[in-house]
Amino acid sequence: MSEDILQIKEVKKFFSHSSGVSVKSVDGISFSIKRGETLGLVGESGSGKSTLGRTIVGLYEQTEGKIIFEGRDVSQLTNQEKRDVNRKMQMIFQDPHASLNPRMRVEDIISEGMDGYGFLSGKKRKERVGELLEKVGLRSEHGRRFPHEFSGGQRQRIGIARALAVKPSFIVADEPISALDVSIQAQVVNLLEDLQKEEGLTYLFIAHDLAMVKHISDRIGVMYLGKLMELTDSETIFTKPLHPYTQALLSSVPVTHPNQKGQRERTVLGGDPPSPLHPPTGCPFSTRCPVATAECRDTPPEWREHSPGHWVACHLNNL
Ligand code: SF4
Protein backbone atom coordinates (compact mmCIF):
# COMPACT_ATOMS: atom_id res chain seq x y z
CA MET A 1 0.00 0.00 0.00
CA SER A 2 1.29 3.41 -0.83
CA GLU A 3 -0.29 6.80 -1.27
CA ASP A 4 -3.69 7.93 -0.04
CA ILE A 5 -6.33 7.47 -2.72
CA LEU A 6 -8.90 9.33 -0.62
CA GLN A 7 -8.69 11.88 2.16
CA ILE A 8 -11.74 13.34 3.81
CA LYS A 9 -11.32 16.29 6.13
CA GLU A 10 -13.95 17.43 8.62
CA VAL A 11 -16.76 16.34 6.28
CA LYS A 12 -20.27 17.27 7.39
CA LYS A 13 -23.60 16.46 5.81
CA PHE A 14 -26.67 18.09 7.33
CA PHE A 15 -30.26 17.67 6.18
CA SER A 16 -33.13 20.07 6.89
CA HIS A 17 -35.97 18.44 8.81
CA SER A 18 -39.55 19.57 8.30
CA SER A 19 -39.53 20.88 11.89
CA GLY A 20 -36.83 23.35 10.84
CA VAL A 21 -34.11 21.48 12.75
CA SER A 22 -30.84 20.73 10.91
CA VAL A 23 -30.10 17.01 11.23
CA LYS A 24 -26.35 16.42 11.50
CA SER A 25 -26.19 13.04 9.75
CA VAL A 26 -22.42 13.29 9.29
CA ASP A 27 -20.78 15.69 11.71
CA GLY A 28 -17.09 16.35 11.07
CA ILE A 29 -15.48 13.11 9.89
CA SER A 30 -11.81 12.90 8.88
CA PHE A 31 -9.81 9.91 7.64
CA SER A 32 -7.78 8.74 4.69
CA ILE A 33 -7.69 5.47 2.76
CA LYS A 34 -4.59 4.10 1.06
CA ARG A 35 -4.71 2.73 -2.46
CA GLY A 36 -5.49 -1.00 -2.29
CA GLU A 37 -6.75 -0.78 1.29
CA THR A 38 -10.14 -1.79 2.68
CA LEU A 39 -11.53 0.46 5.37
CA GLY A 40 -14.50 -1.06 7.20
CA LEU A 41 -17.04 1.40 8.57
CA VAL A 42 -19.39 0.14 11.24
CA GLY A 43 -22.30 1.66 13.10
CA GLU A 44 -25.91 1.15 14.08
CA SER A 45 -28.71 2.30 11.84
CA GLY A 46 -28.82 6.12 11.88
CA SER A 47 -25.09 6.47 12.63
CA GLY A 48 -24.54 8.26 9.32
CA LYS A 49 -22.30 5.65 7.70
CA SER A 50 -24.37 5.29 4.51
CA THR A 51 -24.81 9.06 4.25
CA LEU A 52 -21.05 9.41 4.50
CA GLY A 53 -20.53 6.78 1.77
CA ARG A 54 -23.00 8.54 -0.52
CA THR A 55 -21.42 11.92 0.18
CA ILE A 56 -17.98 10.59 -0.70
CA VAL A 57 -19.11 9.24 -4.10
CA GLY A 58 -20.97 12.49 -4.84
CA LEU A 59 -24.57 11.28 -4.51
CA TYR A 60 -24.94 13.96 -1.81
CA GLU A 61 -23.13 17.27 -1.70
CA GLN A 62 -21.26 17.79 1.56
CA THR A 63 -22.39 20.65 3.79
CA GLU A 64 -18.81 21.36 4.86
CA GLY A 65 -15.37 19.82 4.65
CA LYS A 66 -13.05 18.55 1.95
CA ILE A 67 -13.04 15.35 -0.08
CA ILE A 68 -9.72 14.80 -1.83
CA PHE A 69 -9.62 11.95 -4.35
CA GLU A 70 -6.33 10.99 -6.02
CA GLY A 71 -4.83 14.25 -4.79
CA ARG A 72 -7.58 16.54 -6.12
CA ASP A 73 -10.23 18.40 -4.14
CA VAL A 74 -13.44 17.14 -5.78
CA SER A 75 -15.23 20.45 -5.18
CA GLN A 76 -12.69 22.25 -7.41
CA LEU A 77 -12.92 20.01 -10.49
CA THR A 78 -14.00 20.95 -14.00
CA ASN A 79 -17.04 19.11 -15.37
CA GLN A 80 -14.80 16.79 -17.38
CA GLU A 81 -12.66 16.00 -14.32
CA LYS A 82 -15.84 15.42 -12.28
CA ARG A 83 -17.05 12.87 -14.82
CA ASP A 84 -13.74 11.06 -14.53
CA VAL A 85 -13.90 11.01 -10.72
CA ASN A 86 -17.56 9.87 -10.83
CA ARG A 87 -16.49 6.95 -13.02
CA LYS A 88 -13.59 6.00 -10.78
CA MET A 89 -15.73 6.03 -7.62
CA GLN A 90 -18.51 3.45 -7.78
CA MET A 91 -21.01 2.16 -5.28
CA ILE A 92 -22.44 -1.28 -4.53
CA PHE A 93 -25.79 -1.11 -2.75
CA GLN A 94 -27.31 -3.10 0.09
CA ASP A 95 -30.41 -4.36 -1.61
CA PRO A 96 -29.52 -5.95 -4.93
CA HIS A 97 -33.21 -6.43 -5.68
CA ALA A 98 -34.13 -2.77 -5.34
CA SER A 99 -31.02 -1.47 -7.08
CA LEU A 100 -31.47 -3.45 -10.34
CA ASN A 101 -34.15 -2.26 -12.76
CA PRO A 102 -36.55 -5.26 -13.03
CA ARG A 103 -37.52 -4.38 -16.62
CA MET A 104 -33.98 -4.37 -17.97
CA ARG A 105 -31.98 -7.37 -19.12
CA VAL A 106 -28.85 -7.98 -17.08
CA GLU A 107 -26.61 -7.15 -20.06
CA ASP A 108 -28.24 -3.73 -20.35
CA ILE A 109 -28.00 -3.09 -16.61
CA ILE A 110 -24.28 -3.84 -16.69
CA SER A 111 -23.52 -1.88 -19.85
CA GLU A 112 -25.65 1.16 -18.97
CA GLY A 113 -22.73 2.81 -17.17
CA MET A 114 -20.31 1.93 -20.00
CA ASP A 115 -22.63 3.64 -22.49
CA GLY A 116 -22.73 6.76 -20.33
CA TYR A 117 -18.93 7.02 -20.43
CA GLY A 118 -18.63 6.20 -24.13
CA PHE A 119 -16.93 2.86 -23.52
CA LEU A 120 -17.20 -0.05 -25.96
CA SER A 121 -20.10 -0.57 -28.35
CA GLY A 122 -21.59 -3.38 -30.44
CA LYS A 123 -19.85 -6.77 -30.34
CA LYS A 124 -17.02 -5.59 -28.06
CA ARG A 125 -19.55 -4.26 -25.53
CA LYS A 126 -21.33 -7.63 -25.51
CA GLU A 127 -18.02 -9.45 -25.04
CA ARG A 128 -17.08 -7.15 -22.15
CA VAL A 129 -20.44 -7.81 -20.44
CA GLY A 130 -19.82 -11.56 -20.83
CA GLU A 131 -16.32 -11.18 -19.34
CA LEU A 132 -17.68 -9.18 -16.40
CA LEU A 133 -20.39 -11.76 -15.69
CA GLU A 134 -17.78 -14.51 -15.64
CA LYS A 135 -15.49 -12.42 -13.46
CA VAL A 136 -18.21 -12.24 -10.79
CA GLY A 137 -18.95 -15.96 -10.99
CA LEU A 138 -21.94 -15.94 -13.36
CA ARG A 139 -22.14 -17.13 -16.98
CA SER A 140 -22.03 -14.89 -20.05
CA GLU A 141 -25.41 -16.19 -21.26
CA HIS A 142 -26.97 -14.86 -18.03
CA GLY A 143 -26.85 -11.44 -19.70
CA ARG A 144 -30.09 -12.18 -21.58
CA ARG A 145 -32.05 -12.77 -18.38
CA PHE A 146 -33.91 -10.39 -16.07
CA PRO A 147 -33.00 -9.70 -12.38
CA HIS A 148 -35.97 -11.67 -10.97
CA GLU A 149 -34.53 -14.86 -12.47
CA PHE A 150 -31.60 -14.74 -10.03
CA SER A 151 -31.12 -15.42 -6.30
CA GLY A 152 -30.17 -12.61 -3.89
CA GLY A 153 -26.49 -13.57 -3.97
CA GLN A 154 -26.49 -13.69 -7.78
CA ARG A 155 -28.19 -10.31 -7.95
CA GLN A 156 -25.49 -8.85 -5.75
CA ARG A 157 -22.92 -10.32 -8.17
CA ILE A 158 -24.73 -8.47 -10.98
CA GLY A 159 -24.52 -5.26 -8.93
CA ILE A 160 -20.78 -5.83 -8.53
CA ALA A 161 -20.36 -6.44 -12.29
CA ARG A 162 -22.23 -3.21 -12.98
CA ALA A 163 -19.87 -1.29 -10.69
CA LEU A 164 -16.80 -2.88 -12.31
CA ALA A 165 -17.98 -2.14 -15.85
CA VAL A 166 -16.61 1.41 -15.84
CA LYS A 167 -13.20 0.40 -14.42
CA PRO A 168 -13.37 2.11 -11.03
CA SER A 169 -10.43 2.41 -8.64
CA PHE A 170 -12.50 3.00 -5.49
CA ILE A 171 -15.73 1.32 -4.45
CA VAL A 172 -18.07 2.18 -1.59
CA ALA A 173 -19.78 -1.10 -0.70
CA ASP A 174 -22.83 -0.03 1.33
CA GLU A 175 -23.92 -3.03 3.41
CA PRO A 176 -23.36 -5.33 0.40
CA ILE A 177 -23.97 -8.54 2.36
CA SER A 178 -26.53 -7.47 4.99
CA ALA A 179 -29.54 -8.54 2.91
CA LEU A 180 -28.05 -11.93 2.00
CA ASP A 181 -28.35 -15.32 3.69
CA VAL A 182 -25.48 -15.99 6.07
CA SER A 183 -24.39 -18.91 3.88
CA ILE A 184 -23.98 -16.56 0.89
CA GLN A 185 -22.32 -13.67 2.73
CA ALA A 186 -18.85 -15.27 2.83
CA GLN A 187 -19.02 -16.03 -0.91
CA VAL A 188 -19.68 -12.38 -1.75
CA VAL A 189 -16.92 -11.21 0.62
CA ASN A 190 -14.49 -13.67 -1.00
CA LEU A 191 -15.49 -12.43 -4.44
CA LEU A 192 -14.86 -8.81 -3.40
CA GLU A 193 -11.45 -9.78 -2.01
CA ASP A 194 -10.49 -11.60 -5.22
CA LEU A 195 -11.61 -8.66 -7.35
CA GLN A 196 -9.65 -6.28 -5.17
CA LYS A 197 -6.44 -8.18 -5.94
CA GLU A 198 -7.20 -8.60 -9.65
CA GLU A 199 -8.36 -5.05 -10.31
CA GLY A 200 -6.29 -3.14 -7.72
CA LEU A 201 -9.42 -1.80 -6.03
CA THR A 202 -9.76 0.21 -2.83
CA TYR A 203 -12.88 -0.32 -0.71
CA LEU A 204 -14.89 1.54 1.86
CA PHE A 205 -16.92 -1.37 3.23
CA ILE A 206 -19.95 -0.31 5.27
CA ALA A 207 -21.75 -2.68 7.63
CA HIS A 208 -23.85 -2.53 10.78
CA ASP A 209 -21.80 -4.96 12.80
CA LEU A 210 -18.16 -5.70 13.37
CA ALA A 211 -18.39 -9.38 12.49
CA MET A 212 -19.30 -8.50 8.89
CA VAL A 213 -16.21 -6.35 8.27
CA LYS A 214 -13.77 -8.40 10.32
CA HIS A 215 -12.25 -10.49 7.53
CA ILE A 216 -12.20 -8.02 4.69
CA SER A 217 -10.94 -4.85 6.43
CA ASP A 218 -7.38 -3.64 6.94
CA ARG A 219 -8.64 -0.93 9.29
CA ILE A 220 -12.03 -0.37 10.91
CA GLY A 221 -13.79 2.84 11.89
CA VAL A 222 -16.73 2.88 14.32
CA MET A 223 -19.40 5.56 13.86
CA TYR A 224 -22.07 6.76 16.27
CA LEU A 225 -24.59 9.53 15.71
CA GLY A 226 -22.71 11.11 12.81
CA LYS A 227 -19.25 10.98 14.37
CA LEU A 228 -16.31 8.60 14.40
CA MET A 229 -15.72 7.08 17.82
CA GLU A 230 -12.64 4.96 17.07
CA LEU A 231 -10.43 4.03 14.13
CA THR A 232 -7.53 1.59 14.03
CA ASP A 233 -6.31 -1.57 12.31
CA SER A 234 -8.74 -4.44 12.34
CA GLU A 235 -6.68 -6.65 14.65
CA THR A 236 -6.36 -3.94 17.32
CA ILE A 237 -10.04 -3.07 17.24
CA PHE A 238 -10.85 -6.64 18.21
CA THR A 239 -8.03 -7.20 20.70
CA LYS A 240 -7.57 -3.75 22.32
CA PRO A 241 -10.71 -1.68 21.71
CA LEU A 242 -10.48 1.63 23.61
CA HIS A 243 -13.85 3.28 23.19
CA PRO A 244 -16.72 2.14 25.47
CA TYR A 245 -19.01 2.00 22.41
CA THR A 246 -16.63 -0.24 20.46
CA GLN A 247 -16.33 -2.44 23.54
CA ALA A 248 -20.11 -2.69 23.74
CA LEU A 249 -20.38 -3.62 20.06
CA LEU A 250 -17.68 -6.24 20.50
CA SER A 251 -19.40 -7.85 23.43
CA SER A 252 -22.05 -9.04 21.00
CA VAL A 253 -19.48 -10.59 18.59
CA PRO A 254 -18.77 -14.24 19.44
CA VAL A 255 -15.16 -14.83 20.58
CA THR A 256 -13.70 -17.54 18.37
CA HIS A 257 -10.02 -17.51 19.31
CA PRO A 258 -9.35 -19.74 22.35
CA ASN A 259 -6.72 -17.29 23.71
CA GLN A 260 -9.23 -14.46 23.79
CA LYS A 261 -11.99 -16.35 25.59
CA GLY A 262 -12.79 -14.82 28.94
CA GLN A 263 -10.70 -11.70 28.19
CA ARG A 264 -13.51 -9.52 27.01
CA GLU A 265 -15.61 -7.92 29.69
CA ARG A 266 -19.21 -7.78 28.70
CA THR A 267 -20.65 -4.28 28.30
CA VAL A 268 -24.36 -4.43 27.74
CA LEU A 269 -25.51 -1.76 25.32
CA GLY A 270 -28.87 -0.61 26.63
CA GLY A 271 -31.50 1.42 24.81
CA ASP A 272 -31.38 2.99 21.38
CA PRO A 273 -29.18 5.80 20.10
CA PRO A 274 -30.71 9.25 20.73
CA SER A 275 -32.64 10.85 17.88
CA PRO A 276 -30.31 12.74 15.50
CA LEU A 277 -32.89 15.55 15.83
CA HIS A 278 -31.88 16.01 19.47
CA PRO A 279 -28.32 14.76 19.92
CA PRO A 280 -26.67 15.01 23.36
CA THR A 281 -24.70 18.20 24.05
CA GLY A 282 -21.44 16.50 25.01
CA CYS A 283 -20.24 13.07 23.92
CA PRO A 284 -22.80 11.52 21.54
CA PHE A 285 -22.53 8.24 23.46
CA SER A 286 -23.02 9.80 26.92
CA THR A 287 -26.69 8.73 27.23
CA ARG A 288 -25.73 5.05 26.99
CA CYS A 289 -22.15 4.96 28.19
CA PRO A 290 -21.70 2.99 31.44
CA VAL A 291 -18.78 5.19 32.56
CA ALA A 292 -20.06 8.63 31.52
CA THR A 293 -19.13 11.57 33.76
CA ALA A 294 -20.47 15.11 34.07
CA GLU A 295 -17.74 16.27 31.66
CA CYS A 296 -18.95 13.73 29.08
CA ARG A 297 -22.46 15.15 29.25
CA ASP A 298 -21.23 18.75 28.83
CA THR A 299 -18.29 18.67 26.41
CA PRO A 300 -17.77 16.68 23.22
CA PRO A 301 -14.50 14.73 23.35
CA GLU A 302 -11.76 15.54 20.84
CA TRP A 303 -10.78 13.15 18.06
CA ARG A 304 -7.23 12.30 19.09
CA GLU A 305 -4.48 9.88 18.13
CA HIS A 306 -4.09 7.77 21.25
CA SER A 307 -1.17 5.79 19.82
CA PRO A 308 0.24 5.67 16.28
CA GLY A 309 -2.65 4.98 13.91
CA HIS A 310 -5.16 4.42 16.74
CA TRP A 311 -7.69 7.25 16.90
CA VAL A 312 -10.40 7.67 19.50
CA ALA A 313 -12.94 10.23 20.71
CA CYS A 314 -13.34 9.78 24.46
CA HIS A 315 -12.55 11.85 27.57
CA LEU A 316 -11.22 8.92 29.57
CA ASN A 317 -7.50 9.40 30.19
CA ASN A 318 -6.74 5.86 31.20
CA LEU A 319 -7.74 4.29 27.89
FE1 SF4 B 1 -18.26 7.41 27.63
FE2 SF4 B 1 -17.47 9.85 28.29
FE3 SF4 B 1 -15.93 8.37 26.72
FE4 SF4 B 1 -18.22 9.38 25.82
S1 SF4 B 1 -16.43 10.54 26.46
S2 SF4 B 1 -17.48 7.31 25.53
S3 SF4 B 1 -19.52 9.25 27.62
S4 SF4 B 1 -16.46 7.95 28.84
Side-chain angles (χ1 to χ4, degrees), residues 41-49 207-210 220-231 237 240-253 264-274 283-292 301 303 311-316 319:
L41 197 58
V42 171
E44 289 167 281
S45 144
S47 61
K49 57 195 189 303
H208 57 259
D209 76 47
L210 280 158
I220 294 176
V222 177
M223 273 185 81
Y224 188 83
L225 223 58
K227 290 180 183 277
L228 266 177
M229 299 287 103
E230 186 163 4
L231 173 68
I237 209 126
K240 290 186 197 125
L242 296 175
H243 198 282
Y245 179 56
T246 314
Q247 290 166 358
L249 286 181
L250 275 169
S251 70
S252 58
V253 175
R264 194 177 290 150
E265 278 183 39
R266 198 164 169 79
T267 315
V268 177
L269 190 55
D272 295 320
C283 170
F285 191 52
S286 57
T287 56
R288 297 165 90 192
C289 180
V291 288
W303 181 236
W311 293 78
V312 67
C314 179
H315 285 306
L316 293 184
L319 290 173

